Amino acid sequence: MKCATPFGDAMRKHFLIDPNFVNLNHGSFGTYPTAVRAALRGFQDEAEARPDPFIRYTTPKALDASREAIAKMLNVPRHECVFVKNATTGVNTIIQNIPFQSGDVIIYFETIYGAVEKGIFSLMESTPLQARKVQYRCPISHDDLVEQFLDVVRTTRAEGLNVKIALFDVVSSLPAMRFPFEKLTDVCREEGILSLIDGAHGIGQIPLDLGRLQPDFFTSNCHKWLFVPRSCCVLYVPERNQHLIRTTIPTSWGYIPSPGAPETTPSIMKSDDPSKTPFESLFEFVATNDDAPYFCVPAALKFRNEICGGEEHIYTYLETLANEAADLVAAVLDTEVLQEPNRKLAVRSQLRRCGMSTVQLPIAIQGRSGPVKPSYLVLQADKVASTINWFQTTLAYKYGTFVPVFAHGHCLWTRLSAQVYLEISDFAWLAGVLKEMCDELKSKQGDVDQRLQ
């Protein structure tokens, strides 16, 4: 299907981005077009015009329409999909509901999203859950990631512990790279481990077929890459596992008591639809919120289909632009793109099969081992945090853009996010900005003004 508006600069007219701001960090918070804003405002206006009828009776129907649309996109039944606010909430909802016993372990990877890791540590304070981390450093291949996961599984079992659940990404956040989530799901199935996929950077960025993949749990932000307003996240729980999910976060009207428990106050916000499963009803009303973003999935998918030319067209553009942008920025900075070690040019990088890419900055960290070119600035370890802050505030306030800068291994890196309203010239401009900033940092030997620009 041909797109109604060409990707790149011409597409910007559909979005709400300040013309004086170059939005190169779509991956963090997303954004949405004016057509979706119209749908959002329409639902919000309806809610304010007749609050009770809208929240009590219109909301379940609007939710069903959005759940139907998102389920079709993921190739799963509607009754296996609900909405939560974000992927962190989705992951927490799952692990808070799993009945962990003494000796149970969750395995996760070193590049886990920080807030999710904190949720695991918080849970360990109140349950017998233990955690094991798959530690690694990039560059690394998909096969090595899977093998290192299996090594941790074997080591954990050798301790006499039970690997209950594994948590892994679709596309990791920092550094940004496509994870071998398909293979890890298969391995978990073979090993009898529950698979929990954090797809925060998933839906809308790469093709996903959960009907074929069949993970045990999956969550993905719709407000990052799908053009749905913040905050909206799909939570997928296949029917075989829905008996485990008895409460939302926070616990609300849909709570499912355990068998034999005392009766609680009858729900005043439960759907009268007898076809709804307890799992569906559980997430229909979770405290008083503005859930209008949930209802905007059909409008977002309509824009993607009619204006952008469909999902495959979007995915192809994102991956192509992210790869071309990374190569360009790395060439200007005389550094490297994050990819498999010793990859042959004719072999497609599996880590780079997505709409984000990671590029090394010419800044090494003192005391950390790794290849460093003579042109790199070697930064004292105690200056890393302040240097990252300087990069990000200067980008935001002086240059009118933003890209994350972070430490991984022995160097600083930056993450690039492709999007349909961007083109290669935007990243050529960024490359010049980053080079200018790196040169300034080198001239001052890492001593920079930390005040906001």
Side-chain angles (χ1 to χ4, degrees):
M1 180 183 293
K2 187 177 180 180
C3 59
T5 303
F7 290 163
D9 185 65
M11 184 62 73
R12 294 179 195 181
K13 67 183 181 183
H14 293 291
F15 288 83
L16 301 159
I17 301 165
D18 183 340
N20 296 314
F21 186 81
V22 184
N23 195 31
L24 299 175
N25 187 33
H26 186 102
S28 279
F29 305 114
T31 192
Y32 51 92
T34 53
V36 177
R37 181 181 63 175
L40 175 69
R41 297 277 174 84
F43 286 119
Q44 291 171 331
D45 288 349
E46 283 187 61
E48 298 315 310
R50 299 169 61 100
D52 273 278
F54 184 87
I55 292 171
R56 294 175 185 272
Y57 310 122
T58 302
T59 286
K61 296 176 183 177
L63 271 177
D64 288 350
S66 278
R67 289 172 47 237
E68 185 72 40
I70 211 77
K72 183 178 180 180
M73 187 177 188
L74 295 173
N75 189 32
V76 292
R78 185 184 76 181
H79 70 269
E80 296 182 338
C81 292
V82 293
F83 290 113
V84 293
K85 290 302 176 185
N86 50 52
T88 302
T89 303
V91 170
N92 270 270
T93 298
I94 299 303
I95 62 174
Q96 292 280 356
N97 274 279
I98 300 295
F100 292 112
Q101 306 296 323
S102 179
D104 283 349
V105 172
I106 182 171
I107 293 180
Y108 65 91
F109 287 79
E110 177 143 356
T111 46
I112 187 175
Y113 187 61
V116 171
E117 183 179 44
K118 292 178 188 298
I120 292 172
F121 275 71
S122 174
L123 188 62
M124 287 194 292
E125 294 178 3
S126 58
T127 74
L129 176 68
Q130 298 183 51
R132 296 292 183 273
K133 185 188 296 187
V134 181
Q135 296 181 322
Y136 69 95
R137 281 288 182 268
C138 295
I140 193 169
S141 69
H142 273 190
D143 287 344
D144 285 343
L145 278 168
V146 173
E147 188 54 40
Q148 291 197 31
F149 169 74
L150 283 169
D151 284 346
V152 175
V153 171
R154 289 188 284 262
T155 301
T156 303
R157 286 173 172 169
E159 297 177 47
L161 300 172
N162 173 48
V163 181
K164 180 78 170 182
I165 189 167
L167 170 64
F168 45 90
D169 295 311
V170 170
V171 178
S172 58
S173 177
L174 297 174
M177 60 183 185
R178 180 165 173 154
F179 241 67
F181 66 95
E182 301 99 332
K183 180 61 176 175
L184 286 168
T185 302
D186 291 341
V187 167
C188 285
R189 187 178 300 111
E190 294 163 4
E191 295 289 331
I193 301 168
L194 292 171
S195 56
L196 169 53
I197 302 179
D198 180 352
H201 296 280
I203 193 165
Q205 183 182 172
I206 64 172
L208 293 168
D209 185 344
L210 301 188
R212 181 193 59 79
L213 186 62
Q214 282 295 300
D216 288 303
F217 308 99
F218 172 90
T219 190
S220 188
N221 288 323
C222 302
H223 59 256
K224 282 188 184 285
W225 295 91
L226 200 66
F227 303 153
V228 176
R230 291 176 293 274
S231 295
C232 177
C233 176
V234 61
L235 175 62
Y236 162 78
V237 180
E239 189 171 357
R240 66 181 183 274
N241 292 328
Q242 290 182 4
H243 67 284
L244 297 170
I245 311 303
R246 296 175 39 236
T247 184
T248 54
I249 298 176
T251 299
S252 194
W253 289 103
Y255 168 68
I256 305 169
S258 60
E263 287 190 13
T264 58
T265 305
S267 175
I268 60 173
M269 297 299 293
K270 194 171 182 179
S271 171
D272 293 329
D273 186 347
S275 69
K276 293 279 180 70
T277 65
F279 175 71
E280 290 175 284
S281 298
L282 179 63
F283 290 86
E284 209 160 58
F285 182 86
V286 183
T288 301
N289 273 304
D290 179 5
D291 289 338
Y294 295 174
F295 314 147
C296 294
V297 171
L301 294 182
K302 180 180 180 182
F303 176 85
R304 294 168 70 86
N305 187 55
E306 295 181 359
I307 305 301
C308 298
E311 294 301 314
E312 291 302 322
H313 193 210
I314 295 172
Y315 302 147
T316 299
Y317 185 80
L318 295 184
E319 182 177 335
T320 301
L321 180 58
N323 278 269
E324 290 179 353
D327 291 338
L328 186 156
V329 173
V332 170
L333 298 178
D334 191 24
T335 61
E336 307 292 334
V337 179
L338 180 68
Q339 56 191 7
E340 294 82 350
N342 305 315
R343 183 179 71 90
K344 297 179 181 179
L345 291 178
V347 178
R348 185 184 187 191
S349 170
Q350 297 303 301
L351 299 179
R352 296 174 64 179
R353 288 178 51 219
C354 58
M356 295 195 296
S357 53
T358 303
V359 178
Q360 192 177 87
L361 297 179
I363 304 170
I365 302 172
Q366 192 176 62
R368 299 189 185 182
S369 60
V372 177
K373 295 182 179 181
S375 59
Y376 281 25
L377 168 68
V378 179
L379 193 68
Q380 294 177 13
D382 61 0
K383 291 184 177 179
V384 169
S386 60
T387 300
I388 289 172
N389 180 64
W390 174 78
F391 265 104
Q392 296 188 157
T393 55
T394 302
L395 286 166
Y397 290 97
K398 180 178 179 180
Y399 292 101
T401 191
F402 191 95
V403 288
V405 174
F406 60 96
H408 180 77
H410 69 291
C411 278
L412 296 190
W413 301 75
T414 189
R415 185 186 77 189
L416 312 179
S417 295
Q419 197 41 263
V420 297
Y421 50 75
L422 297 172
E423 54 191 42
I424 196 65
S425 62
D426 296 309
F427 294 97
W429 171 78
L430 174 69
V433 168
L434 290 174
K435 187 175 189 314
E436 181 179 307
M437 294 181 69
C438 289
D439 289 345
E440 179 182 350
L441 193 68
K442 285 176 65 177
S443 71
K444 298 178 179 179
Q445 288 299 302
D447 292 323
V448 289
D449 188 350
Q450 297 306 310
R451 293 172 297 179
L452 294 181
Q453 304 298 310

